DNA sequence: CTGTTAGCGCTTTCAG
DNA sequence: CTGAAAGCGCTAACAG
């Protein structure tokens, strides 16, 4: 920096102010210094800058699963544009996750934390809170609201007989969502399946064995939806003419196959989450939660009842 | 750090040495200092450390597409374990990519660069080279070698009549790979398709329209393989009894559906790439290329001819 | 093996 | 609006 200062005939302090857009420099000086710096290919050293200035210009991004890639991509883009470094931590498997939280390696290194596609345990949140910087958690959102969207779409298409396939282990009841929209519940049309294509095929078999076929199926898992899709087609059923199908998950899969699905605008949500976090950093420093909101991607697997 | 030094009754220099595992401290002192530091929840400030020490302990990870998530996850894990920060840059769309290379924002900030799932243009490589740190590019590997693996597997199963589906736009010939393994080439069994499920279905139709069906199909794309799979099954063909199917890509898709595929051990390759890069950083500082190597994941879509 | 002494390259008062 | 000076929190010789 002092080289640039010398070349521009000013002091280092002025170069610093000029390059960072700080007030207190005449426009002419700023322009000139900026130009000299560019010519000399000079860029401020982040380490020294944050050491001296106390700012860090870095955000830690925690993610459970790199699968939801677009969320990450959106966040990264927005952060880079805002001049922040992205320190990535993939906390997918238990080992790396506990290793991370055991001794959170972020002390005095980041201005904030963004937790994507990861549900933090109480103790984990506490560990992050100790950093003293805002934490923004992007919550995967409510299955209930996703379901509402799917049901609404099917009802609009005239469906009344809707089966719901949940993940095994889910013991919560979602009947109310259907009931709230005026549907009758038939117990045999609530099914559980492991989140695999094979599971979906079995579900389809079960459905076909029933005394009456629903006119639509909603699956919580994309893999299951695909299994149902393939099994029904192999059985000669047409989709969507004979049966409509909606998935509540599995963005990539459902898009590839053309299955109507509830999904998030992940990239945009990532950007938005960053905006919230940066706002908090500049503002009250509060931690918060960003709820992912769902949208319906209507594709070829749904039609009139 | 001086607080810790005082509390431990030593100098700051000793604390520094002890905490970083530098030689020149007695084991007893190191243990004691470490303990005091932990008790005081002290961690070395990276900024100050790298400013003073000249080391940076950070690697820039460039990735074109977060899709190949496991590569990234593997690399991140290995880097974290080695004590390096991961600065992530997602260079998916043209805008962010050119923005990045226009003014590579990494000067004096990283010890090395890891380029994953991204093919660097000449000028981009040059821009990175200017950083003066090693660059390790992970190359997606050769379609030819992936194909060789698939063909070998099918030949082992007794197949001689193999169709190959390439991406539209690929004008290179891969006949030699088949010929080298003693197969005869039938021109009508080389097909081109857009990398979509629908494209795959069309390919299947074309195959079914032909005068003779091959006993096996190799598809360069996972989506296409899925399309072929679904179309054939709907047509009443059994897979693998009537026809075997291998995909050269589409890890997630093919795994979900149970299609035999050539794939990389992405997580492990990511770790390995990191090892190579760190080696170069500590060693000759040379940039290099890590070729992804392929493996065959045999699933239910292939069987004896 | 340990302490002392200079910086690392910036930013920030405080004067001018 | 600009410059001089004093650190930011560490590490790296250099002594002892």
């Amino acid at each position: 920096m002092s080289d640039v200062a010398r070349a521009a005939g000013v002091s280092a302090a002025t170069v610093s102010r000029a390059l960072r857009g700080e007030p207190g420099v005449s426009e002419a000086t700023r322009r000139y210094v900026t130009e000299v710096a560019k010519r000399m290919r000079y860029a401020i050293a982040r380490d020294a800058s944050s050491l001296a200035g106390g700012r860090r210009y870095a955000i830690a991004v925690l993610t459970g699963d790199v699968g939801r890639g677009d969320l990450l991509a959106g966040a990264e883009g927005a952060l880079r544009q805002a001049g922040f470094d992205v320190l990535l931590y993939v906390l997918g498997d238990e080992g790396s996750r506990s290793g991370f939280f055991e001794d959170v390696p972020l002390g005095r290194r980041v201005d904030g934390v963004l937790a994507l596609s990861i549900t933090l345990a109480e103790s984990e949140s506490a560990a992050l809170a100790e950093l003293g910087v805002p934490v923004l958690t992007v919550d995967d959102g409510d299955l209930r609201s996703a379901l509402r969207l799917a049901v609404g779409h099917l009802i609009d298409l005239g469906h009344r007989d809707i089966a719901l396939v949940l993940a095994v282990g889910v013991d919560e009841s979602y009947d109310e969502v259907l009931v709230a929209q005026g549907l009758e519940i038939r117990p045999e049309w609530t099914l559980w399946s492991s989140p695999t294509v094979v599971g979906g095929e079995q579900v389809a078999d079960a459905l076909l064995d029933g005394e009456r076929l629903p006119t639509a199926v909603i699956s919580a898992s994309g893999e299951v939806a695909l299994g149902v899709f393939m099994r029904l087609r192999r059985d000669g059923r047409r989709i969507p003419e004979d049966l409509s199908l909606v998935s509540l998950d599995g963005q990539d899969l459902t898009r590839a196959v053309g299955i109507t699905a509830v999904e998030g605008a992940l990239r945009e949500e990532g950007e938005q989450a960053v905006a919230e976090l940066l706002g908090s950093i500049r503002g009250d420093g509060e931690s918060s939660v960003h709820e992912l909101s769902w949208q319906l991607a209507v594709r070829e697997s749904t039609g009139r009842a």
Side-chain angles (χ1 to χ4, degrees), chain A:
Chain A
M1 182 180 267
S2 55
D3 290 351
V4 176
R6 201 171 313 121
V10 295
S11 72
T14 297
V15 173
S16 171
R17 289 190 276 248
L19 260 29
R20 284 177 304 140
E22 286 281 291
V25 198
S26 75
E27 251 327 298
T29 309
R30 186 189 307 280
R31 232 194 305 281
Y32 182 55
V33 167
T34 306
E35 191 212 302
V36 172
K38 185 184 305 186
R39 181 148 38 78
M40 298 178 71
R41 307 177 134 284
Y42 169 81
I44 288 179
R46 273 295 229 284
D47 286 338
S49 175
S50 45
L51 177 57
R55 263 164 257 118
R56 273 161 285 260
Y57 294 109
I59 299 291
V61 175
L62 277 34
T63 178
D65 176 11
V66 203
R68 274 228 198 302
D70 284 336
L71 239 194
L72 181 56
E76 190 277 334
L79 284 170
R80 175 142 48 98
Q81 192 138 21
F84 282 81
D85 281 343
V86 172
L87 292 185
L88 178 70
Y89 295 88
V90 180
L91 272 22
D93 57 281
E94 195 38 52
S96 70
R97 181 165 182 160
S98 58
F100 176 89
F101 284 108
E102 201 164 277
D103 170 38
V104 183
L106 299 176
R108 295 181 287 165
R109 276 139 72 36
V110 297
D111 302 299
V113 178
L114 198 55
L116 307 177
S117 311
I118 186 174
T119 306
L120 299 174
E122 192 78 18
S123 64
E124 294 172 337
S125 293
L128 291 182
E130 286 225 333
L131 292 174
V133 297
V135 177
L136 208 232
T137 307
V138 175
D139 192 280
D140 254 15
D142 189 12
L143 185 60
R144 218 165 284 274
S145 62
L147 182 54
R148 207 169 294 127
L149 221 49
V151 172
H153 172 59
L154 291 173
I155 287 184
D156 285 349
L157 290 171
H159 294 272
R160 310 286 305 167
D161 299 340
I162 301 177
L164 175 61
V165 187
L166 299 168
V168 289
V170 172
D171 56 351
E172 219 172 333
S173 166
Y174 291 92
D175 292 353
E176 42 156 304
V177 177
L178 307 190
V179 172
Q181 310 216 30
L183 298 180
E184 271 169 46
I185 300 299
R186 308 210 351 167
E188 71 270 31
W189 285 349
T190 297
L191 300 156
W192 284 265
S193 162
S194 64
T196 62
V197 171
V198 172
E201 293 176 327
Q202 291 164 350
V203 161
D205 285 335
L207 246 19
L208 290 168
D209 282 349
E211 67 179 49
R212 191 147 71 88
L213 212 58
T215 65
V217 174
I218 298 173
S219 158
S221 139
E223 277 81 6
V224 170
L226 179 56
V228 170
F229 184 84
M230 295 202 305
R231 185 72 187 77
L232 287 173
R233 288 233 309 206
R234 194 172 58 149
D235 204 69
R237 313 285 171 151
R238 289 161 309 156
I239 292 177
E241 291 80 358
D242 297 332
L243 186 133
S244 285
L245 181 60
V246 182
S247 170
L248 303 183
D249 191 20
Q251 190 149 166
D252 294 335
L253 220 56
T254 53
R255 177 163 26 200
V257 183
I259 296 173
T260 293
V262 175
E263 47 190 47
L266 263 19
R267 179 162 231 115
E268 289 71 24
E269 298 262 15
E271 292 169 359
Q272 213 174 307
V274 164
E276 287 172 32
L277 179 58
L278 297 185
S280 168
I281 289 173
R282 282 189 281 264
D284 58 10
E286 287 301 306
S287 294
S288 55
V289 174
H290 173 101
E291 288 281 339
L292 232 42
S293 69
W294 301 119
Q295 300 168 198
L296 192 69
V298 177
R299 293 193 266 252
E300 301 87 56
S301 71
T302 45
R304 298 209 64 79

